[in-house]
Amino acid sequence: MYLKIKENIVYRVCIWILPIWAVLSGYTSVATAQNSDAVGEQENIAPQAYLIGPNDVIAISVFRQPDLNVQLRVASDQSVLIPIVGKVHVGGNSEQVAAKIVEKALQEGGVVKNPAVAVQVAQFNSQKVSVLGFVARPGSYTLDRATRLSSILAQAGGSTISGADELLFTDYDPQSGAVQRHLVKIDELLGGSNSPQDRYIGDGDIIFVPEAKYFYIYGEVRNPGRYRVQQGLTLEQGLAIAGGTTELGSRKGVKRRETEKDKAKLRGVDLSEVIKVGDVFYVPQRLF
């Protein structure tokens, strides 16, 4: 009898505990997944230490050994030729790691028993990015620290008046040779340092700002001319951007020429239609 009562109690406890455990487990799994995604996003834009590379000039300082202090240019094989010690490969490492490598070389070479070494990049030459397209100062830019996409765009003078609202960022990994391309909205990029679009960039990356895409509207509008195409922009909105029709203009008689198809023909168009790149609209006079 006692055993049956005990088994019944255990059974009831399990019935109550199991659902609660299942809910908590599910919550933990979701939370872990969300945290994992967040960590992945942070790693995606995390800064990296500057890695010494070919043509960089490094200053090597040895504590209490001023005769060993030198400035050396890194060779194409990532090495420097240290007096007395010989060739030491420091390239591809941060300043801190390079200092440890030099310390080991000095000690193993019998030059200094317990050396304390500091390595600092005196001239930055190895890491370059390209900024191309419709920017004020296109060209190649040298990186001297962990640099964000917005910072290098600012160094290039930003996009010109003819530049698009988006840029193409080509992320190159020099170690694996992998290439990833990202389409980045410039206004989101400049939204602050916490923007996930504002990535850290590295050697070999390319930033390209294409030309803005336009449509054209002529005839009886207050401000005829060329205007930027915006996603989902309708002709009704396009007319408003152009200042609306004049007193003589006819909203019902607007004609459209699609440059992608037949440049010679004009056709009637509904004001609710979405504008495409290169569209040309003509607003005629209304009939009295």
Side-chain angles (χ1 to χ4, degrees):
M1 183 68 177
Y2 172 75
L3 290 175
K4 288 183 178 180
I5 295 174
K6 186 176 181 181
E7 289 175 357
N8 189 35
I9 293 173
V10 171
Y11 174 75
R12 290 177 179 273
V13 169
C14 289
I15 289 177
W16 281 96
I17 290 178
L18 285 175
I20 297 174
W21 177 83
V23 170
L24 291 176
S25 297
Y27 174 79
T28 303
S29 299
V30 171
T32 301
Q34 291 175 342
N35 291 337
S36 177
D37 291 342
V39 170
E41 183 63 30
Q42 289 300 319
E43 289 178 349
N44 197 32
I45 60 172
Q48 298 178 351
Y50 183 87
L51 301 181
I52 298 168
N55 292 320
D56 283 341
V57 175
I58 62 172
I60 300 176
S61 302
V62 184
F63 183 61
R64 291 184 176 176
Q65 301 288 337
D67 293 342
L68 297 177
N69 296 347
V70 289
Q71 284 197 4
L72 303 169
R73 185 175 297 276
V74 181
S76 59
D77 64 353
Q78 304 274 28
S79 70
V80 290
L81 191 61
I82 300 178
I84 304 176
V85 176
K87 182 181 288 189
V88 178
H89 288 83
V90 296
N93 298 291
S94 65
E95 294 171 328
Q96 292 76 13
V97 174
K100 295 297 182 184
I101 293 173
V102 175
E103 285 178 355
K104 184 179 179 181
L106 290 173
Q107 188 166 0
E108 291 181 348
V111 181
V112 182
K113 187 175 182 181
N114 292 305
V117 175
V119 172
Q120 186 174 10
V121 179
Q123 294 180 21
F124 297 87
N125 299 310
S126 65
Q127 297 191 24
K128 298 181 183 294
V129 297
S130 297
V131 186
L132 307 173
F134 288 82
V135 293
R137 294 183 294 275
S140 179
Y141 289 82
T142 302
L143 301 179
D144 60 358
R145 62 180 64 87
T147 305
R148 287 184 182 269
L149 184 55
S150 61
S151 177
I152 206 71
L153 182 63
Q155 289 183 46
S159 60
T160 65
I161 192 170
S162 299
D165 297 326
E166 297 177 324
L167 62 82
L168 180 64
F169 171 52
T170 301
D171 187 1
Y172 171 70
D173 186 343
Q175 294 183 346
S176 65
V179 173
Q180 292 184 344
R181 292 181 174 86
H182 308 276
L183 196 61
V184 180
K185 292 184 179 298
I186 294 178
D187 58 347
E188 292 182 10
L189 175 67
L190 302 177
S193 60
N194 293 326
S195 170
Q197 302 282 358
D198 200 7
R199 302 167 179 268
Y200 283 91
I201 59 178
D203 185 36
D205 290 349
I206 300 174
I207 301 164
F208 175 69
V209 179
E211 186 178 14
K213 297 176 173 59
Y214 298 97
F215 71 95
Y216 305 84
I217 187 164
Y218 299 111
E220 294 297 329
V221 290
R222 299 186 185 280
N223 301 301
R226 183 182 73 170
Y227 295 93
R228 287 175 181 259
V229 174
Q230 303 171 28
Q231 187 174 5
L233 185 72
T234 65
L235 177 54
E236 178 84 44
Q237 296 167 324
L239 283 172
I241 292 173
T245 60
T246 66
E247 292 79 2
L248 301 177
S250 171
R251 290 168 55 87
K252 295 182 179 180
V254 179
K255 302 291 184 180
R256 177 190 214 168
R257 185 176 74 215
E258 297 178 347
T259 56
E260 297 87 349
K261 297 180 180 179
D262 190 342
K263 295 184 178 181
K265 292 184 178 180
L266 291 171
R267 68 172 180 86
V269 62
D270 189 271
L271 296 184
S272 63
E273 290 189 31
V274 175
I275 296 174
K276 299 192 294 293
V277 176
D279 278 350
V280 180
F281 299 98
Y282 177 74
V283 179
Q285 291 185 359
R286 57 190 173 87
L287 300 176
F288 293 93

